[in-house]
Amino acid sequence: MIPWLIAVSEVLLLIPAALGVSWAARTGIRALTRRAVRRAQRPMGSSWRVRLDRLGDDGQSDARKRQRADAVARLLGHVVTALILTITLLVGLNLFGVDPVFAISSAGFIGFAIALSAQDFVKDFLAGVRVLLEDRYAVGDDVVLVVGGNEVRGTVDLIGAASVRLRAAEGAAWHAGHHVV
């Protein structure tokens, strides 16, 4: 048989396998995260529950924890998927005869160029991760955005990995990176 035909058939088998592993990893991460949240919500007389009661917890803390855990699980799932697909790409290139070391070194130079041009996105993404982990604000909270030097007040409508959508009182929707909230 022709060697390139063998490589193509191996790659065609590799891609569904990688997608299956990615799906299984994301499902596992989601299940483990939800299990950890359920275990953390069991009443054990811990001090944080007493502090929340003293601060006037309105019963929304459990729902916010679940939302935050789901968002973190999605984020981790996307990171794992990107890692699995990158490894799949390198293995596929190796099957076609391209040296993975060459591909990685080329990706380093390309990555450097992309990093210089995507500084704001990386800043927003890292700020979004901190927002999720620290629970700074959630959907339904009233916040202030600074967009183009103007302060915009409104309610958080959607929280993404790198941006937030704010619904102003007059009905306008504002999209901005996390670093401006």
Side-chain angles (χ1 to χ4, degrees), residues 27-42:
T27 304
I29 288 171
R30 191 176 311 117
L32 288 174
T33 306
R34 287 182 178 165
R35 181 178 175 203
V37 169
R38 279 195 310 270
R39 290 185 81 187
Q41 289 177 346
R42 288 184 193 156

Side-chain angles (χ1 to χ4, degrees), residues 18 47 56 72-73 78 88 135:
S47 61
V72 169
H78 290 305
T88 303
D135 195 25

Side-chain angles (χ1 to χ4, degrees), residues 73-175:
R74 275 195 319 270
L75 180 69
L76 287 175
H78 290 305
V79 169
V80 168
T81 299
L83 183 67
I84 290 171
L85 293 179
T86 301
I87 292 170
T88 303
L89 178 70
L90 291 175
V91 170
L93 287 175
N94 192 20
L95 290 174
F96 280 123
V98 177
D99 188 18
V101 174
F102 174 73
I104 291 173
S105 65
S106 298
F109 291 118
I110 293 170
F112 180 72
I114 290 173
L116 286 177
S117 63
Q119 288 178 0
D120 286 338
F121 175 75
V122 171
K123 185 179 2 175
D124 288 333
F125 181 76
L126 294 176
V129 169
R130 287 181 56 203
V131 163
L132 287 174
L133 294 177
E134 295 175 359
D135 195 25
R136 289 188 183 174
Y137 49 85
V139 174
D141 287 353
D142 291 326
V143 296
V144 176
L145 288 178
V146 179
V147 181
N150 299 326
E151 287 190 356
V152 179
R153 293 185 180 275
T155 304
V156 175
D157 193 24
L158 175 73
I159 298 177
S163 65
V164 61
R165 184 172 67 197
L166 187 77
R167 185 76 54 187
E170 58 273 0
W174 293 82
H175 295 268

